[in-house]
Amino acid sequence: MNLLEKLDAAAAARKALLPDGVGAFGIPIEEVYSATEARIGDRRVLLLGTNNYLGLTFAPECIRAAHEAIDKEGTGTTGSRMANGSYFGHRALEREFADFYQCSSSIVFTTGYQANLGTISGLVGPGDTVLIDGDSHASIYDGCILSGADIIRFKHNDMADMEKRLRRLGDRVETTLIIAEGIYSMLGDQAPLAEIVKLKNTYGGTLLLDEAHSLGVLGETGQGLVEKTGLLQEVDFITGTFSKSLCSIGGYCVSNHPQLEQLRYVSHPYIFTASPSPATIASTRAALELLRKGSHLRKQLWRNCTQLYAQLKEAGYTLGPDPGPVIAAMLDTPQQALLLWQNLLEHNIYVNLILPPAAPEGKSLVRCSVNAAHTTEQIQYVGDTFAKLHSLVCE
Amino acid sequence: MTESNYDEIMTLLCDRLSSLTNSNVQITSETNLISQLSIDSIKLLNLIMEIEDTFDVSIPINALTDIQTVRELADLVHKIKSAS
Ligand SMILES: Cc1ncc(COP(=O)(O)O)c(C=O)c1O
């Protein structure tokens, strides 16, 4: 099989799952009306599959800041952070992230994906070890592969399995980076951070927590799981993204270890890419300010999460263990998931479809992401529609 | 780690593989896991987990990419066990 034939074989496998004409992946959004509504084809749909957790995509403060930055600094930096791409805004945003997490060091990356790639591959290398949760995001896996370190996984959120693997490492634990996520993107469940910290303190190792989905969502000021659990000081490195609750693109790493600064000189995903555009940085700074004082948004978000989680549970769907902004209905077969997804779209509801092998344990997922801008009526309608479709899909 | 441990690893691997695959292929140290037994990745990962517990080792997933035959898998487990 040559290279192109291999792609043809992969395309055939995909088409066997998804018949032609079903555009579940990369669905064309024609117009965006608000944080909760858009046009797909000729339908006005409710958006239940975005990561816009605080509903800030149209926040006037962020839009104004982005406009001003474009006018003053142009559309792009056209260069790396290492060369000509570190403007005042990039450095200011780093100071603001350090202040937000009460940390000494902070680095801004061009995407959250690169924040993980750059941080992991900057911290560990060949001969070192990464101990990661089996359900880790692809950016964590890719960062580990890029690093050349030995990759050892523990079963998702299984602390007995994690302990066993820490014990087996023996002295190698000294050069081991443990990685977990604040909220896992597939099922929306949270890492048992207190237990992870306890094991880390017993056996040793360095701990990195990816707060991509928990930033702005957990904790009084929105720091994430570290704030909810009061364990900020116990986590060595925190990474995260601007692409979810901050409604732009980019990523960060913060730490109290001054050595984080050295990553600027060794980390390829930081160096060999252009820095975020001035408008991106400006809207992110404005959004971070709104996020920090956004406890009313978090309250509304959690009200919506709890309502939808309860409605789907009541309707008989199998869900992840924790209610939260990511609510995934687990289905046994890809066909069931596809049927549910298509029917929801026919009811003008857009959610995410996740098929094996992307979903854990061979399941297929229909995943909702709830945000603070959804109204109670919108959530009620989504819950009612799921309930109406349950017998069609599950029986 | 002694020779008998190596034999133990090899025996366990062959036993588990023959029950996993239900095929008539006679499993030897040179049997190719992918092309001859067509083990899918989930089954292989489950088998790896069982081996990890039996021999109390962790096998890095990136070390598995080079593994083709039963012997190579046994060598890998043996090497990790010896180093621990
Ligand atoms: C857990 C996790 N980490 C990192 C990322 C990457 O973020 P970004 O979209 O900024 O590249 C994501 C995004 O999907 C994620 O879910």
Side-chain angles (χ1 to χ4, degrees), chain A residues 13-25 338 353 355:
Chain A
R14 174 173 53 80
K15 280 183 188 152
L17 270 179
L18 277 184
D20 269 339
V22 179
F25 300 125
L338 185 58
L353 174 68
L355 301 179

Side-chain angles (χ1 to χ4, degrees), chain B residues 42-59:
Chain B
I42 305 238
K43 272 195 190 153
L44 188 60
L45 285 178
N46 287 341
L47 171 66
I48 296 293
M49 239 182 281
E50 198 183 321
I51 296 167
E52 288 181 318
D53 281 348
T54 309
F55 296 101
D56 201 25
V57 291
S58 290
I59 302 173

Side-chain angles (χ1 to χ4, degrees), chain A residues 111-113 116 137 139 181 185 210 212-213 241 243-244 250:
Chain A
T111 65
Y113 179 84
N116 277 335
H137 187 258
S139 57
E181 295 176 29
S185 55
D210 180 350
H213 290 269
T241 173
S243 73
K244 305 190 193 296

